[in-house]
Structures are given as structure tokens and as C-alpha cells.
């Protein structure tokens, strides 16, 4: 019992720490990638000076995230006179916390056997799925918490008592509801194939090989679904080309116009963590999670009987590494999209969701259902 | 619902074929363009070359300054290292931006040039780089060189260059005025 508590405590601390680091890193990655994409140099001035020396650690401006955070913490927390106290103070947290909670059900590694890993008898032969909360409704939890974040946006817009904020919040509300629908519908096709909403099961089923050469990732089973998911996820994340809620040329900065200091920082931070979360969910659903082709729980088994045995610790480390590598590649792609495309007009945005994405998602679903039904019917 | 106003015809009306209107293909093309630029620049950075068109401002000299750019003043020196300037104030008088400040000093030891600049400062926040000071100087004591003052500062008072900064120039070979001058000291 105590052992369970310890292991899950470690998982929770690990998840929160890694997500925070991700958010901090992504602020830098976004600026630097954008700069390199547009022939610029990018953030490169902030440095840490080692105490009592003149050694300055610049590291390509890696510490700009820290500098930004320090700046936001030290700024004046300015509030408008006519704000709604409770809702105004609550909104950043309502926007921030669900984003972290989504990660609770995402498996970031395979099975962990601490007894074997540390060689201690205290753990016995217990084994743990590397995941904060093993819920069999995993995917539903993702959508439930993902949908919760819009409440923070609406609260922020309403409580600021500012028309730009309110307009931004209303835009965010209608946009998120529209794209949430598309997002859910694209995933339903995947659910028909896997027959479960448990994310651990979904990842487990992606460890095989398809047609002899393709890894059995959701990306290859549902290519259109994956594409639609990325588009809808970018819209969920309110990033260009779907950043209408905070379109700074029209709405100052949308629903957090009246926020300053770390409250504004929380909104920004939530956005950056959400990029990582979206990438993590995409990795889990479509990129095989922590799986590499031919990798099992005890090493690689290549066809033709060629086997690479690996110790349990190595496998665990490799799985965690592979997961985060996939997440980072996906983050890079999302940032690439954000810095490449122009913003939609608002009517185009909603038209795109309802008249283009939704029918496509439905068509994808129908085709999937028919194919799965035929294949199953042949079996039965 | 109100009827839509008729669309105006523009001479540069964009024409979208089905390819462009399908959107996704052009999006992919755009993403390929930006990622190609990204990987090209990234490759340059990784190979230790510069992958950007911009420059690190104070540390790095811009590559596109002209060969004839004259952006900085120097005070020429006598062979013994004292300034050639005789503090006659002609440059300060002719300066249209009035950015030269000279404080004259008296040195009776040097009988040929008893007047010398105690302080000589140029305010680069105001200098317009017209070169009149060079034209006005009877002693060839001030010149402009192909350089820039490099003065990023937090304050306009940081934009002054003083005598010690301006006298850093000490060429060994100069067509117009060989150092040390042939045949005796002084012009």
C-alpha cells in the first residue's frame, strides 16, 4: 500500500515537473524556431552567471524562459477597478489546472517493476503502468478536462469587465465548442478500431506491425483522422491560424487583456503546456505512445529471430525517452504550423469547422465503421 | 436578410483554382517552404556558420556597410603620440550639428604648438557625419574612417566619444601622411 503511494507520488511529481519544464522550454523553442524559420537569430541575450565567477552561461538563450518568468513574478499585478473579484482571481487557475490534469491519464511509459529496477525486496513483484491515474475511461477524461479549460477563458473574459475581453471570451467559447466536436468525432473512428477508450490499451495495441513493415500506429490506421485531429487540436489550443480569441490586431489580447503579471503568465504558461499536452495526446493516440517498432518489454525482437535483450531499467528509460522524443517532434510541428499560416477570419473559422471539418470527420467515421464492420463480419 | 452588395471588380482580383481552394495542398506547400528554410538555417548553425540574415548588433559588424562608409572620427597624432589638434575650434564652429566640444589647454614646453586640446569630445547622438569638421581642420588633425562608433547605450550621455577613444587610430602606413613623417618632426 505504502509502495503504491510512493510510486504514484513519484509519477505525479515527475509529471508535473516535466510538464512545467516543457512549458518553460517551449517558450524558448517557439521563439528560437520562429527566428530560425524567418532567417533571424532569436532570443540569445539572457544568461546565468555562475556565482563568484565571470562565467556566463548563455546556452543559445535557453534561460529566456526563466527571465520571462522572473519578470512576470516581479511585475505589478494591475487589476481594473470594476473587475469581479472572485471570478477574476479564479480564472487563470481554472484555465491552468485542467491542462495539467489531462496528463494524468496519458501513459508516458510501459510497465515499471520497481522491485526489479532497484533490486529491493520492499516492492515485491508489484508492477505499475507508468501513468498517474489508471482510469479505464482515459480518453473521456482527456476530453472532459480539455473542455473544462474553456470555463477559465469565459470567466476571465466576463470578470474583466472589458469589451475586448468579453469578445475574446465569446469567440473562444464558440470556437472551442465547435472544434471540440470535431476533435471528439475524429477520435471516435479510432475507438472503433481499438474497441476501448483506455489509453493504456490503445497504446498497447499500437505495438504491433502492420502489413509487415509499418508500425501499427494510429497514424497509419487513420491518416485522415490524424490530420483532422491536428487541425482541431491547433484550434483547441487557440494558436494561429485559429487564434481568434486573442487576435491581437483586433482584440488587444483577447480574454486576458486585463490581466497582468503572473496571472497573465499563467494563461500563457497554460497555452504552452497545452501544446505539450496536445502533442502527448496525439502521440498516444496516433504515434504509438512509448512504442518503437519491434520493441517489447524485454528488448527488441526483429523479424528473422534477431533479438536484442535489454535490462528492465534500460527498457523503461528507452520508453520514457521515446515518448518525450515523439512529443517534442510533434511540438515542433505544431510550432511550425503556427509560424507558417495566416490567421482565419472569424466567419471562415466557424465555417471551416462546421462545413468542412465536421463532414470530413463524419465521412471518416462512416468509412471506418463500415470497414471495421466488414472485417469483423467476415470473422463472425 | 439584406441582399449582399454587388462585388466590385478589381484589376488584381485573385484567381483561385480548385487546387488553391482546396486549401490543404497550399498549406502543405507553405509548411514545406518554411520547414525548408528552417532546416537550411539549422544546418548552417550546426556546421558553425551563421544561419541568419540579421546580425548580433553591438558584437558584430554589419556586412552591408559600403566601402566608402565614413562613420567615425579619429584624431591624428604626432610622432610622439600627442594629438595633432591645436584646439583652434574651427571644426566645432563649422559643425552644423554643434556636436564637438573642445577645451583648450596651454603647454609652454612645446613651443611649436603651445595650444592643445585638454578635452575633445564628439556627441554621436547629434553628429550627422557630414565631414565638415574634416574639411575645416587646418592641421589635418581630425579625419573620418570607415568604421562606426558602436555606441549602444542606455542614456544619451553614453553617446559621447572622448579624446582617449578618438586617438586610438595609429596607422603605420598612410599614403596621405606617412608616420613617422619623413624629414624632421611636425608638419
Amino acid at each position: 500500500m505504502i509502495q503504491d503511494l510512493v510510486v504514484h507520488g513519484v509519477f505525479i511529481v515527475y509529471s508535473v515537473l516535466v510538464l512545467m519544464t516543457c512549458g518553460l522550454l517551449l517558450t524558448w523553442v517557439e521563439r528560437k524556431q520562429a527566428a530560425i524559420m524567418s532567417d533571424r537569430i532569436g532570443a540569445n541575450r539572457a544568461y546565468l552567471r555562475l556565482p563568484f565567477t565571470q562565467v556566463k552561461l548563455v546556452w543559445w538563450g535557453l534561460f529566456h524562459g526563466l527571465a520571462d518568468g522572473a519578470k512576470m513574478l516581479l511585475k505589478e499585478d494591475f487589476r481594473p477597478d470594476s473587475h469581479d473579484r472572485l471570478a477574476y482571481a479564479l480564472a487563470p487557475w481554472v484555465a491552468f489546472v485542467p491542462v495539467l490534469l489531462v496528463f494524468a491519464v496519458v501513459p508516458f511509459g510501459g510497465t515499471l517493476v520497481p522491485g526489479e529496477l532497484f533490486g529491493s525486496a520492499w516492492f515485491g513483484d508489484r508492477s505499475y503502468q507508468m501513468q498517474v491515474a489508471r482510469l479505464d475511461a482515459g480518453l473521456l477524461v482527456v476530453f472532459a478536462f480539455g473542455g473544462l479549460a474553456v470555463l477559465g477563458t469565459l470567466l476571465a473574459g466576463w470578470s474583466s469587465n472589458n469589451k475586448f475581453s468579453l469578445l475574446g471570451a465569446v469567440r473562444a467559447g464558440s470556437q472551442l465548442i465547435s472544434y471540440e466536436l470535431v476533435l471528439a468525432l475524429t477520435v471516435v473512428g479510432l475507438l472503433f478500431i481499438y474497441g476501448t477508450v483506455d489509453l493504456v490499451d490503445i497504446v498497447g495495441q499500437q505495438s504491433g506491425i502492420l502489413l509487415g513493415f509499418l508500425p501499427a500506429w494510429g497514424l497509419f490506421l487513420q491518416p485522415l483522422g490524424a490530420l483532422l485531429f491536428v487541425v482541431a487540436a491547433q484550434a483547441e489550443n487557440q494558436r494561429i491560424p485559429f487564434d481568434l480569441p486573442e487576435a491581437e490586431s483586433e482584440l488587444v489580447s483577447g480574454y486576458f487583456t486585463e490581466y497582468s503579471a503572473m496571472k497573465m503568465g499563467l494563461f500563457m504558461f497554460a497555452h504552452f503546456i497545452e501544446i505539450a499536452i496536445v502533442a502527448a495526446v496525439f502521440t498516444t493516440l496516433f504515434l504509438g505512445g512509448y512504442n518503437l517498432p519491434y520493441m517489447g518489454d524485454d528488448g527488441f525482437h526483429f523479424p528473422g529471430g534477431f533479438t536484442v535483450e535489454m535490462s528492465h531499467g534500460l527498457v523503461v528509460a528507452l520508453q520514457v525517452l521515446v515518448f518525450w522524443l515523439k512529443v517534442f517532434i510533434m511540438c515542433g510541428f505544431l510550432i511550425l504550423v503556427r509560424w507558417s499560416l495566416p490567421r482565419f477570419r472569424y466567419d471562415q473559422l466557424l465555417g471551416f469547422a462546421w462545413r468542412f471539418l465536421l463532414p470530413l470527420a463524419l465521412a471518416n467515421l462512416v468509412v471506418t465503421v463500415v470497414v471495421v464492420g466488414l472485417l469483423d463480419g467476415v470473422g463472425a | 436578410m439584406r441582399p449582399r452588395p454587388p462585388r466590385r471588380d478589381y484589376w488584381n482580383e485573385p484567381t483561385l483554382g480548385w487546387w488553391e481552394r482546396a486549401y490543404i495542398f497550399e498549406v502543405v506547400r507553405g509548411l514545406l517552404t518554411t520547414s525548408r528554410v528552417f532546416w537550411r538555417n539549422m544546418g548552417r548553425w550546426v556546421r558553425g556558420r551563421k544561419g541568419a540574415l540579421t546580425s548580433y548588433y553591438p558584437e558584430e559588424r554589419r556586412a552591408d556597410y559600403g566601402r566608402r562608409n565614413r562613420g567615425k572620427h579619429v584624431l591624428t597624432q604626432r610622432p610622439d603620440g600627442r594629438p595633432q589638434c591645436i584646439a583652434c575650434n574651427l571644426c566645432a564652429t563649422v559643425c552644423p550639428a554643434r556636436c564637438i566640444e573642445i577645451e583648450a589647454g596651454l603647454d609652454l614646453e612645446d613651443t611649436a604648438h603651445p595650444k592643445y586640446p585638454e578635452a575633445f569630445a564628439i556627441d554621436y547622438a547629434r553628429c550627422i557625419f557630414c565631414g565638415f569638421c574634416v574639411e575645416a581642420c587646418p592641421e589635418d588633425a581630425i579625419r573620418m574612417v570607415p568604421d562606426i562608433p558602436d555606441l549602444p547605450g542606455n542614456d544619451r550621455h553614453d553617446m559621447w566619444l572622448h579624446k582617449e577613444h578618438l586617438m586610438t587610430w595609429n596607422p603605420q602606413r598612410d599614403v596621405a601622411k606617412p608616420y613617422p613623417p619623413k624629414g624632421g618632426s611636425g608638419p
Side-chain angles (χ1 to χ4, degrees):
Chain A
M1 202 57 222
I2 298 285
Q3 290 92 327
D4 295 357
L5 209 62
V6 168
V7 168
H8 282 283
V10 168
F11 282 168
I12 290 170
V13 171
Y14 167 82
S15 299
V16 171
L17 276 185
V18 168
L19 280 183
M20 294 286 181
T21 316
C22 256
L24 214 57
L25 264 182
L26 278 175
T27 58
W28 174 78
V29 170
E30 165 139 341
R31 291 168 72 175
K32 208 70 181 174
Q33 187 177 341
I36 293 176
M37 275 167 59
S38 47
D39 287 332
R40 290 183 286 117
I41 293 168
N44 65 345
R45 291 288 154 176
Y47 58 81
L48 283 185
R49 189 165 64 84
L50 293 183
F52 309 116
T53 62
Q54 285 303 317
V55 181
K56 291 172 178 173
L57 304 179
V58 179
W59 287 359
W60 311 285
L62 199 60
F63 299 114
H64 269 271
L66 286 182
D68 290 344
K71 187 196 86 172
M72 280 174 183
L73 281 172
L74 295 174
K75 272 178 85 166
E76 182 196 358
D77 183 15
F78 180 82
R79 288 177 295 262
D81 272 343
S82 51
H83 71 283
D84 182 307
R85 274 170 199 286
L86 179 67
Y88 184 85
L90 208 59
W93 296 103
V94 176
F96 182 68
V97 173
V99 176
L100 283 183
L101 285 181
V102 167
F103 195 72
V105 291
V106 174
F108 50 82
T111 319
L112 180 73
V113 187
E116 195 182 331
L117 193 61
F118 302 114
S120 75
W122 187 54
F123 284 107
D125 55 353
R126 292 158 198 269
S127 69
Y128 299 91
Q129 177 60 42
M130 283 204 268
Q131 184 188 28
V132 172
R134 178 76 201 262
L135 298 173
D136 50 6
L139 199 54
L140 302 183
V141 174
V142 168
F143 283 116
F145 284 133
L148 217 57
V150 70
L151 283 183
T153 310
L154 290 175
L155 268 182
W158 183 253
S159 63
S160 298
N161 195 15
N162 174 326
K163 41 185 169 301
F164 292 124
S165 302
L166 185 58
L167 273 173
V170 170
R171 281 182 172 192
S174 57
Q175 173 179 335
L176 291 190
I177 289 166
S178 313
Y179 280 89
E180 191 99 355
L181 193 66
V182 177
L183 199 64
L185 269 178
T186 55
V187 173
V188 173
L190 213 58
L191 298 188
F192 272 105
I193 294 178
Y194 294 134
T196 174
V197 287
D198 187 351
L199 289 176
V200 177
D201 260 11
I202 290 179
V203 172
Q205 289 186 35
Q206 296 183 60
S207 61
I209 296 296
L210 217 63
L211 302 176
F213 68 101
L214 278 178
W217 295 350
L219 182 66
F220 301 112
L221 294 169
Q222 286 270 300
L224 183 62
L227 181 67
L228 294 177
F229 186 89
V230 170
V231 174
Q234 188 85 345
E236 273 294 287
N237 214 345
Q238 300 162 25
R239 285 164 64 74
I240 290 175
F242 305 106
D243 73 331
L244 271 297
E246 52 194 277
E248 58 282 288
S249 49
E250 310 163 21
L251 294 182
V252 190
S253 65
Y255 54 88
F256 57 83
T257 302
E258 291 292 358
Y259 281 86
S260 54
M262 204 56 207
K263 283 190 182 131
M264 192 276 271
L266 271 183
F267 280 117
M268 301 295 285
F269 207 41
H271 269 187
F272 279 108
I273 293 181
E274 205 171 340
I275 300 173
I277 295 289
V278 161
V281 171
F282 185 85
T283 304
T284 308
L285 291 177
F286 292 100
L287 293 181
Y290 50 81
N291 284 310
L292 275 185
Y294 304 114
M295 190 172 79
D297 273 346
D298 52 351
F300 287 97
H301 298 281
F302 292 105
F306 183 60
T307 312
V308 181
E309 292 286 333
M310 289 194 294
S311 68
H312 181 60
L314 199 59
V315 169
V316 166
L318 194 62
Q319 282 173 337
V320 169
L321 205 68
V322 163
F323 179 75
W324 286 114
L325 197 67
K326 285 176 180 175
V327 169
F328 267 109
I329 290 172
M330 197 54 213
C331 286
F333 178 73
L334 290 176
I335 292 173
L336 176 76
V337 172
R338 183 247 180 274
W339 288 96
S340 297
L341 301 182
R343 182 187 297 145
F344 277 108
R345 212 169 54 213
Y346 198 66
D347 58 323
Q348 288 173 337
L349 175 90
L350 287 185
F352 188 61
W354 291 101
R355 291 210 299 254
F356 186 71
L357 287 184
L358 190 66
L360 267 184
L362 282 174
N364 181 45
L365 180 60
V366 168
V367 170
T368 310
V369 168
V370 168
V371 170
V372 169
L374 281 180
L375 290 180
D376 278 3
V378 170
Chain B
M1 208 175 133
R2 274 190 309 163
R4 275 193 183 180
R7 274 181 74 96
R8 278 186 59 188
D9 284 334
Y10 292 99
W11 62 271
N12 58 352
E13 188 80 41
T15 49
L16 298 179
W18 65 271
W19 181 263
E20 286 92 0
R21 231 171 304 165
Y23 194 67
I24 182 72
F25 304 112
E26 288 294 301
V27 166
V28 170
R29 200 164 70 91
L31 291 182
L32 284 179
T33 304
T34 46
S35 48
R36 196 172 61 232
V37 173
F38 175 81
W39 287 115
R40 187 195 67 201
N41 288 339
M42 203 63 191
R44 286 183 186 162
W45 286 118
V46 168
R47 275 177 287 151
R49 290 167 57 204
K50 207 174 126 194
L53 298 176
T54 53
S55 49
Y56 296 88
Y57 165 50
E59 291 94 341
E60 192 181 336
R61 183 63 41 85
R62 275 174 60 160
D64 59 345
Y65 281 126
R67 238 170 7 97
R68 298 180 176 188
N69 168 52
R70 295 289 184 272
K72 193 186 176 188
H73 300 85
V74 290
L75 290 180
T76 53
Q77 300 168 21
R78 298 183 196 284
D80 58 2
R82 286 183 300 119
Q84 189 135 319
C85 176
I86 53 166
C88 64
N89 255 322
L90 275 179
C91 52
T93 311
V94 79
C95 179
R98 299 186 181 175
C99 64
I100 304 181
E101 297 274 342
I102 304 172
E103 196 180 310
L106 185 64
D107 179 13
L108 290 174
E109 304 287 311
D110 188 348
T111 47
H113 321 281
K115 211 176 162 198
Y116 74 101
E118 188 89 40
F120 190 107
I122 298 178
D123 183 2
Y124 280 95
R126 286 191 286 163
C127 177
I128 59 169
F129 306 100
C130 61
F132 281 9
C133 47
V134 181
E135 301 280 327
C137 186
E139 294 285 316
D140 190 18
I142 186 166
R143 293 196 197 173
M144 297 192 80
V145 286
D147 200 348
I148 51 168
D150 266 341
L151 282 171
N154 298 324
D155 192 308
R156 58 182 162 167
H157 301 298
D158 296 342
M159 311 287 274
W160 289 83
L161 280 194
H162 295 274
K163 195 172 79 173
E164 52 276 20
H165 306 121
L166 293 169
M167 282 176 60
T168 51
W169 191 62
N170 197 358
Q172 293 306 304
R173 275 184 325 125
D174 185 28
V175 183
K177 187 186 286 276
Y179 278 82
K182 286 169 193 150
S185 65

